Every structure is written in C-alpha cells, then in structure tokens.
Amino acid sequence: MNKVIQMLLVLTSIGIISGGLLAVISEWADPLIAANQKAATEAAIFRVQPEGKSYKQIENVGFELYKVINEKNEDAGFALVYDGNGFSGKIRLIAGLSEDLSNISAIEILDQIETPGLGTKITEEPFTSQFLKLETNPKIEWIKGAEPTKPNEIQTITGATISSKAVVAILNDGISRLKKLRDSGGLK
Amino acid sequence: MGTLTQTETKQKVYFDLTTSPHLHSGWSTSKVMWFVNLALVPSIAAALVFFGIYQILIILTAVIFAVGTEALIQYIRKKEITWFDGSAALTGLLLALTLPPNFSLSATAIGSVVAIGLGKQIFGGIGYNIFNPALVGRAFLQAAFPVQITTWTKPNFAVDSVSSATPLAAFKFDKLITDTPALALGNVGGSLGETSALAVLIGGIFLIAVGIVNWRIPFSMIIGMFVFSGVFWLINPQQYPTPVFQIFAGSFLFGAMFMATDWVTSPITNKGMWIFGLGISLVLVVIRLFGGLPEGVMYSILIMNAFVPMINRFTKPRTFGAVKEDKK
Amino acid sequence: MKKQVSLKREFLKGVWDNNPVLKQLLGLCPVLAVTVSAINGLAMGLAATFVLFMASLLISTIRKTIPPQVRIASFIVIIATFVTIVDLVMKAKFPDLSKALGPFIPLIVVNCMILGRQEAFASKNSPGRAILDALGMGAGFTIALIILGGIREIIGSRTFFGFQVMPNQFEPWLIMILPAGAFLTLGLILGAVNIYTDRKKRLEHESIIAHYKRVGREELIEELEVK
C-alpha cells in the first residue's frame, strides 16, 4: 500500500510542478507569440500593398480579408489571404488587390511544402514578380514554356508546372469569391 | 539463368570437383555483356541520327566514368579488376541512352559514378546488386537535376507539328496524341535510346534470338501493358490513350528489352518472369495514368526489382519427383 | 562496486565512442528530417542538448524518490515539460527557426536518445556524472547533425550556414535536400565511420601482437585470437 501511495505522490507532484512551470512560461510567451504572428501578417500585408499605411480586418466573410488604407486615409485596396492544394500539400498565400479588384498589386506565398528547389520557386523571383500589376479579369491564365502575351497571363516554372498552376488556381478561386462578395454588397 | 542455348561439351576424362551447375553453356559473363552492348548499336545509331553528333560525347562520358568507377572501387577494395568484362560499360551505355539529348556531361559523369558506386559496387559488385544499376543512376539524376533531365530537344527531322515535349508529356499535360509511325521510327522528343522503337526492337529481337534475353519478360510486359491500359482506354477513350500509343511511347520498349531483362535483377523462374513483367506494366499504367509524372518505366522497374527475391522464393519449382507438400 | 570511469571519459564517450547518431543510431527521425542545412542541424542539436541536460540533471537528483514502476512515465512528463519550454521560447524569440524546424521540436519528447540516457544513465548515477554524460551525448548529437546538415547544404544548395561556398557554376544536387539525400548521406557517413573504426581496431590488435612477440610471450597471442 505504501508503494502505491508513493507512486501516486511522485507522479502527482511531478505533474503539478511541470504544469505550474509551463503555466508561468506560457504566460510570458503567449503575448510574444501573438505579437510575432501579428507582425508577420502586418509585414506581409504591407509588402503586397506597398502604399498601405494601416489596415483593418473585414470580419465574417469566411476567409481572411483585410482592407488597406493609404497615407491620405483613402482606400488602397484589399489584402486577401487564401489557400488551396499545391503539388504536395497546402499552399497559403496573400495577395494585394486594387480597390475595384481588377488587378493584383503583389503576392506573397506564406506557407508551402512544395518540392525543395523546384516547387519552392513559387516563393521566389522571377515567378512572384510576374503578378505585379497583373489583371484579374476575367481570370488569371497561365502559359507553359513561352513568354506571356496577355495582361492577365503568367508563365509557369519549368519543372514545377503543377505548383505554378496551383498558385493561379488559388488566386482565381479567392478573387472570384471576393468578387461575389462585392456583388452581393458584403464588402460595404 | 533462364534458358540458354547449351552447346555440346565434350566429356572430359578427369574428375573435376565443383558444385552444380556442371554444364557450361559457353556463355561467359563477359561475352554476354558485349553481346548486349552490340544489341544497343541500332539505338545508338538512332540517337546520333535524330539528335546529332553531340550525343556521342554523352555516351562516351557515361561509359568512361562507369568503367573508371568500377576499376577504382575494385582497386581500393583489393578485388580482381574486371573492368573489361563489359558489364560496367553496359551500365554506362544504358544510362546514357536514358538521358535526354544534349544533357550536361558533368551530370552524366555523376550519374555514372552513382550507378556503379551506389547501384552496384556498394552491394559487392556484379551479381549482388538488388536494383538495376543504370536505373539507380538515372533515378539519382532525376532527383538531383529535375529540370535538366526533363528538358527535351526537338529531333533533327522535326516537322512543325512535332514539339520538343515527349509524346507522353504532350498527352498528359495537353492531351495531344503523337502519330504511331513517328513513334515507331523515333522522330519525336525523348531520351537518346528510347525514341526509336524500331532500333530498340532490332536489338531486342537479336538478344532474344541468340538466347541472352528470355522472351517471357518483354512479352509479359507488352501483354500486360496492352491489357491494363486497354481496359482504361475502353472505359474512356477521351481520357486515356490507346494501348498501342502506350507501348510505343516513352521508354517502355527500351525498358522491356534492356532494363527489365538484366540477369541480376530479374527473376530466375519462368513463372516469376511472368509475374515480374505483368507487375511492371501494372505499376507503370498506374504511374502514367494517375501519377504526377508523365513517364514511369524507371520507377516501375525499380519497384519490381525490389520484389524479385520474393518472387523467386514463391515461384521455386518443385524438385523433380517430389510430392507436393500439404499446406497447413 | 564497479569501477568508476574518469569524469573526462564520461563526457567524451558521448562525443565519439558512443555517439548517439553515428554509433548508437538513436533519434534518427529528427536527424534525417531537419538536416537540410547546417543551421537547422545546430538548432535541433542545441534544443535536444538543452532538454537532455535539464532532464538528466533533474532525474538524477530525484532518482531515489521515483518508484521504479512509474519511472518511464515520470521521465516522459519531465522531458515533455522541457520540450514544451523550448518550443514556446523558440516560437516567442526565434519565430523563423521555429518555422523551419516545424513539428520536430515537439517530437523531441519521443526522441529515444533522450529517454535512453535517462533510463540507462541518469537514473543510476549522481547529478554531476549525469550532466557530463548529457553534455557529451548532446555534443555528439549536435556535431553529427551539423556534419550531416553541412554536407547536404553545401551540395544541395551551395551554401554553408547560409554563406555561399560553392561557385555559381556548380549545379546544386537537389536530391541532397530531399529525404533521399538524407538517407544517402547518413549511410555514406556511417560507412566511413565503420571503415575508420575497423581500421583502428585492426591496428590496435596488430600492435598488441607485435608487443607480445617483442617480449617473447607468443602463447598470449593465441589467447587473443580466441577472443
């Protein structure tokens, strides 16, 4: 009986001490982690909307959407966070859109687990810079192995066609949802 | 080793104490290897005709580095240096013929070193390797330089409708079917040795005729391909290509004749060969039709290579006269 | 009472003779998964060393209080606590590193190297020896991870700790930063280590035989061969 009590006692006290220690640490770390995440989102929003000075999140639309406001306190456009399936997993990206949703100011890939050295090129130049001032009407298109000729067209990466097409598909998907939302007056 | 033609050997008068087998077919490893090298001549010629004289450099680089690596490792390990038996040269040659035209020579050399070093010598040399060494080298290059190895060039006699994309890639990504005559002749984009079905068939039939290649493996692969891809074609002819296209496109015939039939890495029983060949074509159909890659001959052969010891074990023929054991 | 080894040996055995990665092949999951670069290897190594150090110190201190029936449970709870601390601190202070190492920091909990040291060493030795052992094992683990990560980074992305060391003409071998590259590199390193150890053993053996011959005690050689 003595042994059982000792076992209970030891395990319980280890558990209590561990729990207490973790509570203290997490009390200290949680605000920092939240601040890090906020800073990361903020930096990404201003990278895709370079003219932006401040932003506010548009709530209750079913996805992450921010309204960006410029220096003169005018609407600069939107920042849309959207995700979809890539070649080997989810791709999550942020796109800056003009006020009338007709073109993209810039995009940035936030999370991806594509093939290193191939699919991961979607996060780098020159692929990302193709989206600067890209038109979104009627939708973004892609071309393989040739220079883009249309204002709404980008060139896919050699050897990473699927990842490139996934980025386009995610953007088209997100933007069409956004347009629907605007047409139904949800952006007001 | 399959069904070799057995030449008549004269009865010797003295007793030679050796373990079985006692009858020698007259085929030494070295002779076999040089015969297979010879059978590849039509494919080499086709490669030079369709893709230009530069390809000879790829072939020479691959062969020299394969033979050199073999000799170097055998020297370091203080083994008998067998670099002239043709097996390393064959590995280099097979590797070169699976590479795209105008592939960089330094990468070719890396592929050869890996093929012999990691594909063959690390297991203990000829006869001990599990996987086809040339395909190990090719798989390494595929993973190391994925962009280079899928950069194809147009064949020399390209008419405008022939693009530089391989027929399989053209079908997979753009749903374009290449004409069968062009495929058979080899006037399409692709690896050095795989484009000309005609050249591959000449070499393959020669090997079957002299008895080096057992017909069961290529035959079962072709039958399997015909049946498995035919089923999908019948289900939806718009979505899936015809079996004839599947057989002639890509490196299927090259793999069937030269890669899958490697003595070391294929099953030794007749029944096993059928299982092996059908298995390769089943895996290949799945990769080609449902995988992310347009071509999968290399992976399907490597995958089935891994099953060879198991296939051999389960298809072991009964000893003559032995009674079938009751299963528990 | 068994003979105590010197404190210096207690530390050094983890670095080479009993190196957790190269000799014991323990904790290979993070070893293979995170070593795409030298910096990842270093961070993973340091994180694991910290957890190992704290857990060894604590467990060897209270080793006589823990009833043997619940020792594994106690070890895991203590290890998990420190792992969670490392995870939280990294997320708060080094968000980029934490993102690169992903789920492998929380997975240190089940790293068999750490649990193995608690079971085999810390729970049977004094705190002083336990921390030396932990530091040695941690150092061995970290060094192995840096070597593996370094080789993969140099060949796979031309850089070492982020600085370019290979010329631009060198086409990076993408396979090295893919999982296959981890297996190939680790296999070749283990092969090299085995060749080296075998050679050393053979040379030692030969020198002993030579010594016996010199002093004229050939009968001892036979004894040696039997062993």
Side-chain angles (χ1 to χ4, degrees):
Chain A
M1 202 57 210
N2 225 352
K3 259 210 169 110
V4 176
I5 290 170
Q6 197 198 356
M7 279 196 254
L8 283 173
L9 216 59
V10 169
L11 265 185
T12 315
S13 39
I14 289 177
I16 290 172
I17 295 168
S18 300
L21 192 61
L22 285 181
V24 173
I25 300 271
S26 126
E27 193 73 14
W28 165 80
D30 277 350
L32 284 174
I33 295 171
N36 280 339
Q37 276 166 353
K38 190 161 177 272
T41 320
E42 203 172 292
I45 290 173
F46 291 139
R47 270 199 297 273
V48 295
Q49 285 287 14
E51 288 169 10
K53 262 285 154 260
S54 63
Y55 66 93
K56 63 172 198 278
Q57 183 161 10
I58 300 175
E59 309 273 353
N60 301 326
V61 290
F63 49 97
E64 247 182 292
L65 181 65
Y66 301 92
K67 187 160 193 72
V68 187
I69 295 149
N70 71 5
E71 260 173 2
K72 296 172 212 148
N73 226 355
E74 292 161 345
D75 289 348
F78 298 95
L80 166 75
V81 179
Y82 211 76
D83 59 32
N85 285 328
F87 180 64
S88 42
K90 273 241 148 68
I91 298 177
R92 192 164 153 265
L93 53 78
I94 183 167
L97 291 158
S98 64
E99 184 59 25
D100 59 356
L101 305 180
S102 68
N103 62 64
I104 292 178
S105 50
I107 67 157
E108 185 169 295
I109 309 292
L110 299 172
D111 292 306
Q112 49 80 23
I113 46 166
E114 301 301 282
T115 321
L118 272 183
T120 51
K121 282 187 186 157
I122 58 169
T123 64
E124 300 162 6
E125 302 281 325
F127 182 74
T128 49
S129 57
Q130 295 191 83
F131 291 91
L132 295 174
K133 303 274 168 282
L134 191 74
E135 284 190 12
T136 63
N137 289 324
K139 62 173 195 160
I140 306 166
E141 286 171 10
W142 50 268
I143 185 164
K144 202 181 146 191
E147 287 293 314
T149 49
K150 290 182 266 179
N152 63 336
E153 196 169 58
I154 59 121
Q155 185 183 351
T156 59
I157 300 164
T158 314
T161 316
I162 295 173
S163 304
S164 316
K165 286 200 286 197
V167 171
V168 173
I170 293 166
L171 281 172
N172 280 332
D173 208 23
I175 292 168
S176 77
R177 268 187 82 176
L178 196 52
K179 282 176 181 164
K180 245 180 236 156
L181 196 68
R182 178 193 57 188
D183 296 344
S184 65
L187 282 184
K188 286 288 167 319
Chain B
M1 288 285 165
T3 56
L4 298 178
T5 44
Q6 298 186 342
T7 53
E8 294 290 321
T9 45
K10 269 193 178 168
Q11 203 91 58
K12 286 178 180 154
V13 280
Y14 56 85
F15 293 106
D16 203 1
L17 291 179
T18 55
T19 54
S20 64
H22 301 291
L23 287 177
H24 196 272
S25 64
W27 285 97
S28 65
T29 305
S30 158
K31 194 171 159 192
V32 167
M33 292 300 169
W34 287 115
F35 259 77
V36 182
N37 279 322
L38 186 68
L40 284 167
V41 167
S43 294
I44 297 172
L48 296 184
V49 167
F50 287 118
F51 298 110
I53 204 74
Y54 172 83
Q55 318 318 324
I56 198 83
L57 290 179
I58 295 182
I59 293 168
L60 282 179
T61 310
V63 170
I64 289 168
F65 273 87
V67 173
T69 311
E70 172 122 320
L72 182 72
I73 293 177
Q74 286 174 334
Y75 174 77
I76 293 172
R77 295 186 63 220
K78 301 188 179 67
K79 301 268 165 173
E80 188 195 355
I81 295 177
T82 59
W83 61 312
F84 202 66
D85 72 358
S87 68
L90 177 63
T91 300
L93 189 55
L94 284 173
L95 173 70
L97 290 175
T98 61
L99 296 175
N102 305 324
F103 194 63
S104 98
L105 296 183
S106 58
T108 308
I110 293 167
S112 270
V113 172
V114 169
I116 296 291
L118 295 183
K120 183 176 167 192
Q121 287 297 338
I122 217 163
F123 293 101
I126 189 167
Y128 295 98
N129 47 308
I130 307 166
F131 298 104
N132 187 320
L135 289 180
V136 170
R138 176 63 158 76
F140 185 90
L141 290 178
Q142 173 94 50
F145 310 109
V147 175
Q148 265 203 48
I149 210 153
T150 47
T151 308
W152 312 99
T153 41
K154 280 188 186 188
N156 276 343
F157 308 106
V159 276
D160 284 345
S161 64
V162 180
S163 83
S164 64
T166 64
L168 282 168
F171 182 82
K172 182 141 209 158
F173 300 122
D174 305 319
K175 291 273 176 285
L176 291 174
I177 284 275
T178 315
D179 303 342
T180 309
L183 282 174
L185 199 61
N187 193 18
V188 291
S191 303
L192 294 185
E194 71 178 35
T195 58
S196 176
L198 191 67
V200 171
L201 284 175
I202 294 173
I205 288 167
F206 165 73
L207 287 182
I208 293 174
V210 294
I212 290 176
V213 160
N214 190 307
W215 58 272
R216 285 176 186 85
I217 293 174
F219 191 67
S220 61
M221 273 176 75
I222 292 169
I223 294 272
M225 193 65 185
F226 201 84
V227 171
F228 298 135
S229 65
V231 168
F232 286 105
W233 179 65
L234 286 177
I235 293 173
N236 187 351
Q238 263 79 51
Q239 178 75 24
Y240 303 112
T242 65
V244 175
F245 173 81
Q246 288 275 38
I247 287 168
F248 280 99
S251 46
F252 178 74
L253 284 173
F254 189 77
M257 290 299 179
F258 295 107
M259 293 294 191
T261 54
D262 175 26
W263 282 11
V264 179
T265 57
S266 60
I268 50 172
T269 59
N270 288 344
K271 215 204 263 169
M273 289 180 194
W274 277 97
I275 297 173
F276 182 67
L278 292 175
I280 292 174
S281 47
L282 181 62
V283 176
L284 178 58
V285 168
V286 171
I287 294 178
R288 276 189 182 176
L289 296 183
F290 307 106
L293 298 162
E295 175 62 307
V297 171
M298 169 177 80
Y299 293 123
S300 53
I301 295 178
L302 285 174
I303 289 169
M304 288 311 288
N305 277 166
F307 284 101
V308 165
M310 208 164 92
I311 294 174
N312 279 339
R313 219 181 118 168
F314 287 116
T315 57
K316 199 159 69 182
R318 229 170 339 136
T319 317
F320 180 65
V323 183
K324 198 171 185 178
E325 273 177 53
D326 279 335
K327 277 188 186 141
K328 277 174 197 168
Chain C
M1 194 70 194
K2 70 174 195 231
K3 217 179 107 193
Q4 289 275 24
V5 289
S6 80
L7 294 176
K8 195 177 146 207
R9 285 272 335 124
E10 213 72 90
F11 173 73
L12 284 179
K13 69 174 193 292
V15 178
W16 178 251
D17 284 346
N18 280 327
N19 186 302
V21 178
L22 303 178
K23 294 294 177 72
Q24 302 187 59
L25 305 189
L26 286 180
L28 289 188
C29 164
V31 170
L32 293 166
V34 303
T35 53
V36 289
S37 67
I39 190 79
N40 277 8
L42 178 66
M44 183 72 203
L46 290 181
T49 307
F50 171 78
V51 174
L52 181 57
F53 178 84
M54 295 305 286
S56 287
L57 176 63
L58 196 66
I59 286 166
S60 61
T61 313
I62 58 168
R63 67 187 189 278
K64 289 185 180 128
T65 338
I66 301 174
Q69 294 90 336
V70 293
R71 66 184 195 286
I72 302 285
S74 313
F75 297 164
I76 289 288
V77 172
I78 290 169
I79 294 169
T81 308
F82 289 112
V83 171
T84 315
I85 291 174
V86 170
D87 193 31
L88 286 173
V89 170
M90 270 192 148
K91 272 188 186 144
K93 287 286 172 192
F94 312 101
D96 292 340
L97 204 56
S98 159
K99 211 174 164 188
L101 295 177
F104 293 99
I105 291 291
L107 278 177
I108 298 177
V109 176
V110 286
N111 188 317
C112 42
M113 172 190 80
I114 293 174
L115 185 61
R117 287 334 283 171
Q118 308 316 322
E119 172 77 3
F121 200 89
S123 60
K124 295 180 186 129
N125 286 281
S126 65
R129 283 181 181 275
I131 60 172
L132 278 176
D133 174 77
L135 285 176
M137 287 292 162
F141 189 70
T142 312
I143 291 169
L145 258 73
I146 293 176
I147 294 174
L148 190 59
I151 294 175
R152 290 179 65 193
E153 190 184 347
I154 290 172
I155 307 180
S157 32
R158 289 199 288 239
T159 55
F160 184 61
F161 280 108
F163 300 105
Q164 185 159 356
V165 289
M166 295 295 264
N168 277 331
Q169 289 89 330
F170 179 80
E171 177 87 14
W173 304 10
L174 285 180
I175 191 172
M176 296 306 273
I177 48 176
L178 297 175
F183 284 100
L184 281 179
T185 318
L186 184 66
L188 291 175
I189 291 177
L190 292 179
V193 168
N194 282 347
I195 290 174
Y196 174 79
T197 331
D198 277 1
R199 237 178 94 100
K200 216 170 108 190
K201 228 183 249 166
R202 210 176 53 233
L203 288 179
E204 257 167 36
H205 188 82
E206 276 164 11
S207 75
I208 292 171
I209 291 176
H211 177 74
Y212 284 156
K213 274 190 183 148
R214 223 173 19 252
V215 296
R217 304 269 317 260
E218 264 91 357
E219 75 274 12
L220 285 176
I221 297 175
E222 261 173 55
E223 233 171 80
L224 206 65
E225 303 288 329
V226 172
K227 271 181 202 163

PDB file of all heavy atoms in Angstrom, chain C residues 137-149:
ATOM      1  N   MET C 137      26.723  13.533 -24.731  1.00  0.00           N
ATOM      2  CA  MET C 137      25.782  12.976 -25.712  1.00  0.00           C
ATOM      3  C   MET C 137      25.204  14.085 -26.576  1.00  0.00           C
ATOM      4  O   MET C 137      25.062  13.949 -27.792  1.00  0.00           O
ATOM      5  CB  MET C 137      24.636  12.254 -24.998  1.00  0.00           C
ATOM      6  CG  MET C 137      25.037  10.936 -24.377  1.00  0.00           C
ATOM      7  SD  MET C 137      25.447   9.723 -25.637  1.00  0.00           S
ATOM      8  CE  MET C 137      26.362   8.545 -24.683  1.00  0.00           C
ATOM      9  N   GLY C 138      24.858  15.201 -25.908  1.00  0.00           N
ATOM     10  CA  GLY C 138      24.292  16.331 -26.657  1.00  0.00           C
ATOM     11  C   GLY C 138      25.295  16.860 -27.665  1.00  0.00           C
ATOM     12  O   GLY C 138      24.948  17.154 -28.813  1.00  0.00           O
ATOM     13  N   ALA C 139      26.563  16.957 -27.240  1.00  0.00           N
ATOM     14  CA  ALA C 139      27.591  17.462 -28.158  1.00  0.00           C
ATOM     15  C   ALA C 139      27.755  16.520 -29.331  1.00  0.00           C
ATOM     16  O   ALA C 139      27.824  16.946 -30.494  1.00  0.00           O
ATOM     17  CB  ALA C 139      28.914  17.624 -27.417  1.00  0.00           C
ATOM     18  N   GLY C 140      27.790  15.204 -29.038  1.00  0.00           N
ATOM     19  CA  GLY C 140      27.916  14.226 -30.116  1.00  0.00           C
ATOM     20  C   GLY C 140      26.760  14.327 -31.090  1.00  0.00           C
ATOM     21  O   GLY C 140      26.947  14.311 -32.314  1.00  0.00           O
ATOM     22  N   PHE C 141      25.550  14.458 -30.548  1.00  0.00           N
ATOM     23  CA  PHE C 141      24.338  14.583 -31.377  1.00  0.00           C
ATOM     24  C   PHE C 141      24.430  15.832 -32.253  1.00  0.00           C
ATOM     25  O   PHE C 141      24.210  15.783 -33.464  1.00  0.00           O
ATOM     26  CB  PHE C 141      23.127  14.657 -30.434  1.00  0.00           C
ATOM     27  CG  PHE C 141      21.789  14.576 -31.105  1.00  0.00           C
ATOM     28  CD1 PHE C 141      21.353  13.391 -31.673  1.00  0.00           C
ATOM     29  CD2 PHE C 141      20.950  15.683 -31.146  1.00  0.00           C
ATOM     30  CE1 PHE C 141      20.107  13.310 -32.261  1.00  0.00           C
ATOM     31  CE2 PHE C 141      19.707  15.606 -31.741  1.00  0.00           C
ATOM     32  CZ  PHE C 141      19.291  14.420 -32.303  1.00  0.00           C
ATOM     33  N   THR C 142      24.799  16.965 -31.611  1.00  0.00           N
ATOM     34  CA  THR C 142      24.865  18.220 -32.347  1.00  0.00           C
ATOM     35  C   THR C 142      25.913  18.164 -33.450  1.00  0.00           C
ATOM     36  O   THR C 142      25.661  18.584 -34.583  1.00  0.00           O
ATOM     37  CB  THR C 142      25.187  19.375 -31.379  1.00  0.00           C
ATOM     38  OG1 THR C 142      24.324  19.271 -30.253  1.00  0.00           O
ATOM     39  CG2 THR C 142      25.004  20.717 -32.044  1.00  0.00           C
ATOM     40  N   ILE C 143      27.093  17.618 -33.117  1.00  0.00           N
ATOM     41  CA  ILE C 143      28.166  17.551 -34.127  1.00  0.00           C
ATOM     42  C   ILE C 143      27.716  16.711 -35.323  1.00  0.00           C
ATOM     43  O   ILE C 143      27.867  17.106 -36.478  1.00  0.00           O
ATOM     44  CB  ILE C 143      29.453  16.967 -33.497  1.00  0.00           C
ATOM     45  CG1 ILE C 143      30.029  17.967 -32.490  1.00  0.00           C
ATOM     46  CG2 ILE C 143      30.482  16.647 -34.574  1.00  0.00           C
ATOM     47  CD1 ILE C 143      31.127  17.403 -31.629  1.00  0.00           C
ATOM     48  N   ALA C 144      27.096  15.560 -35.016  1.00  0.00           N
ATOM     49  CA  ALA C 144      26.644  14.693 -36.111  1.00  0.00           C
ATOM     50  C   ALA C 144      25.627  15.420 -36.983  1.00  0.00           C
ATOM     51  O   ALA C 144      25.669  15.342 -38.218  1.00  0.00           O
ATOM     52  CB  ALA C 144      26.044  13.412 -35.554  1.00  0.00           C
ATOM     53  N   LEU C 145      24.726  16.182 -36.340  1.00  0.00           N
ATOM     54  CA  LEU C 145      23.705  16.896 -37.117  1.00  0.00           C
ATOM     55  C   LEU C 145      24.310  18.006 -37.960  1.00  0.00           C
ATOM     56  O   LEU C 145      23.872  18.247 -39.080  1.00  0.00           O
ATOM     57  CB  LEU C 145      22.631  17.485 -36.181  1.00  0.00           C
ATOM     58  CG  LEU C 145      21.342  16.683 -36.134  1.00  0.00           C
ATOM     59  CD1 LEU C 145      21.551  15.402 -35.367  1.00  0.00           C
ATOM     60  CD2 LEU C 145      20.222  17.486 -35.533  1.00  0.00           C
ATOM     61  N   ILE C 146      25.337  18.676 -37.409  1.00  0.00           N
ATOM     62  CA  ILE C 146      25.964  19.746 -38.191  1.00  0.00           C
ATOM     63  C   ILE C 146      26.706  19.155 -39.394  1.00  0.00           C
ATOM     64  O   ILE C 146      26.634  19.694 -40.497  1.00  0.00           O
ATOM     65  CB  ILE C 146      26.922  20.585 -37.312  1.00  0.00           C
ATOM     66  CG1 ILE C 146      26.118  21.343 -36.259  1.00  0.00           C
ATOM     67  CG2 ILE C 146      27.709  21.576 -38.156  1.00  0.00           C
ATOM     68  CD1 ILE C 146      26.959  22.123 -35.291  1.00  0.00           C
ATOM     69  N   ILE C 147      27.404  18.028 -39.160  1.00  0.00           N
ATOM     70  CA  ILE C 147      28.119  17.401 -40.282  1.00  0.00           C
ATOM     71  C   ILE C 147      27.127  17.021 -41.380  1.00  0.00           C
ATOM     72  O   ILE C 147      27.283  17.371 -42.552  1.00  0.00           O
ATOM     73  CB  ILE C 147      28.886  16.142 -39.815  1.00  0.00           C
ATOM     74  CG1 ILE C 147      30.000  16.537 -38.843  1.00  0.00           C
ATOM     75  CG2 ILE C 147      29.465  15.389 -41.006  1.00  0.00           C
ATOM     76  CD1 ILE C 147      30.715  15.357 -38.223  1.00  0.00           C
ATOM     77  N   LEU C 148      26.059  16.324 -40.977  1.00  0.00           N
ATOM     78  CA  LEU C 148      25.066  15.873 -41.952  1.00  0.00           C
ATOM     79  C   LEU C 148      24.417  17.067 -42.652  1.00  0.00           C
ATOM     80  O   LEU C 148      24.326  17.123 -43.883  1.00  0.00           O
ATOM     81  CB  LEU C 148      24.017  15.023 -41.233  1.00  0.00           C
ATOM     82  CG  LEU C 148      23.026  14.258 -42.081  1.00  0.00           C
ATOM     83  CD1 LEU C 148      23.753  13.303 -43.003  1.00  0.00           C
ATOM     84  CD2 LEU C 148      22.085  13.472 -41.191  1.00  0.00           C
ATOM     85  N   GLY C 149      23.980  18.056 -41.839  1.00  0.00           N
ATOM     86  CA  GLY C 149      23.341  19.237 -42.412  1.00  0.00           C
ATOM     87  C   GLY C 149      24.302  20.012 -43.289  1.00  0.00           C
ATOM     88  O   GLY C 149      23.923  20.519 -44.343  1.00  0.00           O
TER      89      GLY C 149
END
